[in-house]
Structure formats: C-alpha cells, structure tokens
Amino acid sequence: MTNSSTSSDDAAVAIAGARAGAEVIRSMYGRRLNRIDKGAGDFATDADVAAEKAILGVIRAARPGDAVLGEEGGQQGAAEAVRQWLVDPLCGTLNYAVGNMLVAVNVALRDGAAAVADPFSGEVFFTDGESAWVRHDGAGDTLLTPTPATRLVDVNLDPPFPSAPGFRAVELLAHPGFVERFRPRVVSTTLALAWVAAGKRAAYVTDGGGFSRSVHFAAGIALCRAAGCVVTGVDGAPIGGEGRGLVVAADDETHGLLMSMVRSRG
C-alpha cells in the first residue's frame, strides 16, 4: 500500500530537485561550455555536471539514506537499495550545447514520485505515483490530462536500435497509415513524454531497452502512467528491464493504431 503522505513528500523532493537542476541549466545557457567526451559521439558539458550536483544536494539534504544513480556521477549508495533516485540533469545535451532550448531535467524515485522540469518554460511536470500534475511558475497546479487531439506523435530516432531489423522507429514515418492519421515530430529529449501526459502530444515512440531503471526515461514514464497513458514496449507487452522499445499513447485507440503499424512494418 502506498503511503500518501510519504509519496507527497517524495514528490516535493523530486520537484525541488528538478527545479534546482533547471535553475542551473537556465543560468548557464549561452555560455561557452567544456565538453566531456563519453564515447560513441556522446558527451556531457559543465552544465550537466553542475545541474546534477545541485539536484544531488537537494536529495541528500532531504533523503540522506537514499541511493542515487546519476547520469554523470553514476551510482552512489547500494545499487539494489529499496529507495533509489534516478537523475538525468540535462536530457538533450546536444540541443543545449548548440543553443536549442528543447531540454529537460529528470528526477525520479524508482517506482515512486517523479518530476520533469522544462527549464525554459518554467513548467514542472510531476507525480506522487498516483496522479500527475503540472506546476507553472507563479501559478497553481493543473491535473495532467492526456488526449490524442493534436495527432502529433514524437518519434525518437537516436540510436541504439536493438530491435533492428525487426523494428526501427524511423520506419513509422514512411508508413502510409501513419501519414494519414498522425503528424510526426522528432524531439531528442524525453520532454516529449511529459507532453504526452499533458495532452500536447498524442504519442511517443522510441527504440532501445532497459527503460524501467533508465535515468533518461524513468521520470517521463512515471508521469505518463500516473496520468493514465498507455505505456508498453514495441511488442505491446509491459516494459521491463530487458524490454525493447517504448510506445506511449494518450489513449487505447492511438496505441492500437501505432501498434498495428509497428507490426505491419508498412
């Protein structure tokens, strides 16, 4: 049974952490940043590291006994701890490094509360594990309500592609049924998951695996589940540690349409 008081407190920690990271991202935007090579074309910047430090400061102050897995700092505390925070301080590093503001700050307690901050809109999308909301600077909280009305579907085209040749998300863009029913968008940040929960997108599709404990995806998936979205792998099964691909839709009909396209491969 979920303790609502504890969940609410954890949500407050997630929000505070995401906001602390977002403040760093805003303050360092536009600066000339050092790049830290991570291999395979991936890199971090000074902003990633500074934002993660700010987030960890919030978590340590509020939950000193909890473990943390950070995108930049790695594992701190026992990897199999009952309570583990998953932190992606800057999702969309390449965007940010070239002056694009489509980025997100992700903070999630594994299997619990989570928050996704948009540093430049001032929005913080969050969940206590039971319901999902968005908080605007200087305004109250609004319940997230998914809807397929926009017909916009974000398709993540970044590698890896572990399901290939059976499935690659890019194939959806050439599917005649997709063009008839949806309009594609390509966003290289998991901010798009928060947009599905908020009704700004009808769905989100990506390849890959290991989503349940991913610092990149955990917060967005938690939001979408709490908001009532349909969340599965590209095979239609519940996502898990070894699952491949992710399909998140605002409703059953949209999810069913996308799954039929994934299975038919055009």
Side-chain angles (χ1 to χ4, degrees):
M1 180 180 294
T2 301
N3 185 309
S4 59
S5 177
T6 300
S7 298
S8 178
D9 290 345
D10 286 335
V13 174
I15 293 167
R19 279 186 151 170
E23 176 56 35
V24 172
I25 299 305
R26 279 195 302 272
S27 68
M28 297 183 71
Y29 180 74
R31 296 185 190 178
R32 188 178 184 85
L33 300 169
N34 292 321
R35 294 192 179 192
I36 304 160
D37 183 27
K38 299 168 74 172
D42 193 14
F43 64 90
T45 70
D46 297 340
D48 299 68
V49 175
E52 182 165 302
K53 182 178 179 181
I55 295 166
L56 265 58
V58 171
I59 294 173
R60 286 170 178 156
R63 300 288 188 269
D66 291 358
V68 177
L69 176 61
E71 167 71 2
E72 309 309 331
Q75 181 68 44
Q76 299 183 39
E80 298 305 318
V82 174
R83 290 174 56 88
Q84 180 187 49
W85 293 87
L86 305 168
V87 175
D88 184 356
L90 177 53
C91 185
T93 299
L94 179 57
N95 283 348
Y96 184 79
V98 299
N100 188 314
M101 294 182 178
L102 284 175
V103 301
V105 177
N106 299 322
V107 179
L109 177 64
R110 181 157 52 87
D111 301 324
V116 176
D118 180 338
F120 298 103
S121 74
E123 295 173 310
V124 180
F125 306 88
F126 67 94
T127 177
D128 59 3
E130 298 179 354
S131 57
W133 306 76
V134 60
R135 178 170 297 175
H136 302 270
D137 282 345
D141 299 339
T142 303
L143 189 68
L144 294 183
T145 306
T147 172
T150 65
R151 299 174 62 210
L152 300 176
V153 176
D154 267 304
V155 182
N156 186 350
L157 305 182
D158 291 339
F161 310 114
S163 299
F167 171 76
R168 284 183 60 167
V170 69
E171 296 172 359
L172 282 176
L173 305 183
H175 193 292
F178 187 94
V179 176
E180 289 174 5
R181 296 177 179 273
F182 303 111
R183 291 293 176 267
R185 293 293 182 271
V186 179
V187 176
S188 55
T189 170
T190 53
L191 183 61
L193 279 171
W195 289 348
V196 178
K200 297 181 179 183
R201 293 290 191 267
Y204 174 87
V205 180
T206 188
D207 209 342
F211 294 104
S212 63
R213 296 190 182 186
S214 167
V215 296
H216 305 291
F217 289 94
I221 288 172
L223 277 175
C224 289
R225 282 176 166 161
C229 300
V230 183
V231 181
T232 72
V234 295
D235 58 357
I239 59 171
E242 301 304 320
R244 289 184 174 178
L246 178 66
V247 179
V248 178
D251 63 355
D252 287 320
E253 180 180 3
T254 302
H255 183 267
L257 286 169
L258 289 170
M259 289 307 307
S260 68
M261 295 173 199
V262 168
R263 289 167 178 150
S264 71
R265 298 182 57 198

